[in-house]
Amino acid sequence: MVMRGPHIRAVLILLPLPAARPVHPPAAAVVRIKGAIKKLSEELHEMEVRIGVVSHTLLQLSVKNRRLMQAQAVFSDDEEDA
């Protein structure tokens, strides 16, 4: 489109906006995204608790195993001395 005035000549190029991308996402999509983020946060917390429980259990087994190994070492030393 060419606009003409007494001393001005301007050429305007009009480009269509892409129809695939809305400028603002619909409210329903935002609500779904927030819900998904909340659900992921809850699942993350649950997994952190499970990891903590497994870590604690492994630590307790490790301590128990160490005590048993020390008791066996003391017992075998007593047998050798006798």
Side-chain angles (χ1 to χ4, degrees):
M1 172 184 236
V2 177
M3 298 179 67
R4 297 175 190 232
H7 303 291
I8 300 174
R9 250 189 199 178
V11 176
L12 299 176
I13 300 173
L14 300 175
L15 298 175
L17 293 175
R21 287 196 231 160
V23 177
H24 299 286
V30 173
V31 170
R32 285 195 314 268
I33 291 170
K34 285 184 177 182
I37 290 172
K38 183 177 179 181
K39 184 178 178 183
L40 286 173
S41 178
E42 291 169 357
E43 289 178 8
L44 178 63
H45 178 71
E46 183 180 325
M47 292 304 295
E48 288 173 345
V49 170
R50 288 181 179 190
I51 289 169
V53 168
V54 170
S55 177
H56 177 74
T57 303
L58 289 174
L59 179 64
Q60 292 301 312
L61 289 173
S62 175
V63 169
K64 184 177 180 180
N65 190 27
R66 187 176 300 138
R67 286 182 190 159
L68 288 173
M69 296 292 278
Q70 288 173 349
Q72 281 181 339
V74 169
F75 181 71
S76 65
D77 287 344
D78 288 343
E79 285 183 350
E80 289 175 7
D81 292 339

